[in-house]
Amino acid sequence: MVKLHSGAWWLWALGLATAAGRTTNPLLLGLVLAVAGVVVVTCRANTPWAGTYGVFLKFGLLIIGLRVLVHALLGGVTGPTVLFTLPQVPLPDWAQGIRVGGPVSAEGLVFALYQGLLLATILSCVGAANALANPRRLLRSLPAALYEVSVAVVVALTVAPQLVASARSVRRARQLRGDTARGARAIRTMLVPVLEDALDRSLVLAASMDSRGYGRTAGISRGDRLLTGTLVLAGLFGLCIGTYGLLAGAYTGWPLLVLGGVLAIAGLKVGARRVPRTRYRPDRWTPTAIGVALSGVVGAVVLVFSADPALSPSTVPLTVPELPLLPALGVLVALAPVAFARET
């Protein structure tokens, strides 16, 4: 059983997701999916949320299908290779540039497929983090400044894993009663019980934490709260703008990213000094956990600074994508948890 700091798995997964967000090359995105899948299958523990990755993969397939369908209906990128033509709905003059129906080209469908695969890959990376990281142990690692909102964080972080466990439980109960419904009818009859059970489980966990003092006011003055909140919000704003700049290819996002990180850490440190609480058996950042986190970050760094044109293969004209060597090696580094993440 793999027992690592939950934050290490999230940093690893977010690094892979960042790497995926820098390319539309289907070969590279497929490599990210393969790396995430191998690590999940090899390193996940026997927990109720271990099957979360498969659910996220199915949602990813749904996203790809919807992206292609939306492009076929509403248009977008066009090209000379028209595959078929849908009946077109006439629109008023003020809606110029927008169409419903019309010709569908191979170039446009391939572009939509690349975009859908990009979104599906990022979603699958988040699913890998949910499958590998213990959400309850992650809560114990939250900064002390966030102590008072930990109950809400519990509900937010455990809903997705509990949905998977609840779906399995409800499906098993229905099979024991002889219900063999499949397809849309099975989804319709299982949807409400699954959502209700998952939310109830999360609320029970939140209530148990509340009974142990989580979410209680720590006697912090209003001025200290204002200072902490201002620093944290300013830091998060800087992190968001800096990350957007990096993903957009603007290296000027680095100063904002660094400034936002400094402000956020300062706010958490200021808030932590005024929260007189301790943790029971806190999770430690072992060298193995640090190595796992860095293995995912390496791929993100390589793709952020890579200028290889193969990262964004052309769709007009339509070309066969090539696998860029250096970005591929950066992504393969994320396989490191398979080799050294087996701690008991």
Side-chain angles (χ1 to χ4, degrees):
M1 179 184 296
V2 177
K3 292 183 179 180
L4 290 176
H5 195 290
S6 297
W9 287 121
W10 272 101
L11 288 175
W12 171 85
L14 291 177
L16 274 181
T18 303
R22 292 287 299 168
T23 179
T24 56
N25 189 315
L27 299 179
L28 205 53
L29 292 174
L31 184 62
V32 172
L33 285 173
V35 168
V38 169
V39 173
V40 169
V41 171
T42 306
C43 301
R44 64 182 173 183
N46 186 19
T47 57
W49 51 84
T52 308
Y53 185 69
V55 177
F56 276 80
L57 281 179
K58 294 177 182 178
F59 275 114
L61 292 176
L62 179 62
I63 288 175
I64 294 175
L66 289 176
R67 181 66 182 87
V68 173
L69 179 62
V70 168
H71 173 81
L73 293 178
L74 302 180
V77 175
T78 59
T81 310
V82 177
L83 298 178
F84 54 88
T85 302
L86 297 175
Q88 189 165 354
V89 178
L91 297 176
D93 294 337
W94 55 265
Q96 291 183 0
I98 302 174
R99 69 172 178 85
V100 179
V104 179
S105 65
E107 291 82 0
L109 285 181
V110 171
F111 176 81
L113 182 63
Y114 288 176
Q115 294 294 319
L117 182 59
L118 168 62
L119 295 175
T121 304
I122 294 176
L123 184 64
S124 298
C125 292
V126 176
N130 277 277
L132 292 167
N134 188 327
R136 302 183 185 185
R137 291 178 62 191
L138 180 61
L139 290 170
R140 294 194 304 180
S141 305
L142 286 177
L146 303 179
Y147 190 91
E148 297 177 11
V149 298
S150 56
V151 175
V153 175
V154 169
V155 178
L157 288 181
T158 58
V159 164
Q162 295 293 2
L163 277 174
V164 177
S166 298
R168 290 181 175 178
S169 176
V170 172
R171 183 172 56 185
R172 190 179 301 112
R174 294 179 65 84
Q175 290 176 347
L176 291 175
R177 291 196 296 268
D179 189 345
T180 58
R182 293 183 178 274
R185 182 175 178 274
I187 295 177
R188 185 172 61 253
T189 56
M190 290 176 56
L191 185 60
V192 173
V194 168
L195 292 176
E196 182 181 5
D197 184 57
L199 187 58
D200 284 344
R201 292 187 184 192
S202 298
L203 290 176
V204 167
L205 177 59
S208 67
M209 293 184 67
D210 182 70
S211 66
R212 290 167 173 81
Y214 281 81
R216 305 299 174 83
T217 302
I220 304 175
S221 65
R222 184 176 180 179
D224 292 339
R225 290 175 184 273
L226 182 61
L227 176 61
T228 302
T230 301
L231 288 174
V232 172
L233 288 178
L236 292 178
F237 182 75
L239 288 173
C240 290
I241 299 299
T243 303
Y244 178 81
L246 290 179
L247 293 178
Y251 295 113
T252 54
W254 278 110
L256 284 175
L257 192 65
V258 173
L259 178 61
V262 171
L263 290 176
I265 293 174
L268 295 177
K269 288 292 185 181
V270 170
R273 289 202 305 264
R274 294 170 171 82
V275 179
R277 288 183 171 87
T278 59
R279 297 187 184 93
Y280 176 66
R281 292 181 180 176
D283 288 341
R284 302 295 183 184
W285 278 92
T286 63
T288 303
I290 295 174
V292 168
L294 291 178
S295 67
V297 174
V298 166
V301 173
V302 171
L303 268 78
V304 164
F305 287 100
S306 176
D308 196 320
L311 293 179
S312 301
S314 173
T315 56
V316 183
L318 196 58
T319 59
V320 178
E322 299 178 356
L323 183 64
L325 180 60
L326 184 59
L329 292 177
V331 172
L332 288 175
V333 173
L335 283 173
V338 176
F340 59 80
R342 291 187 170 276
E343 292 186 354
T344 56

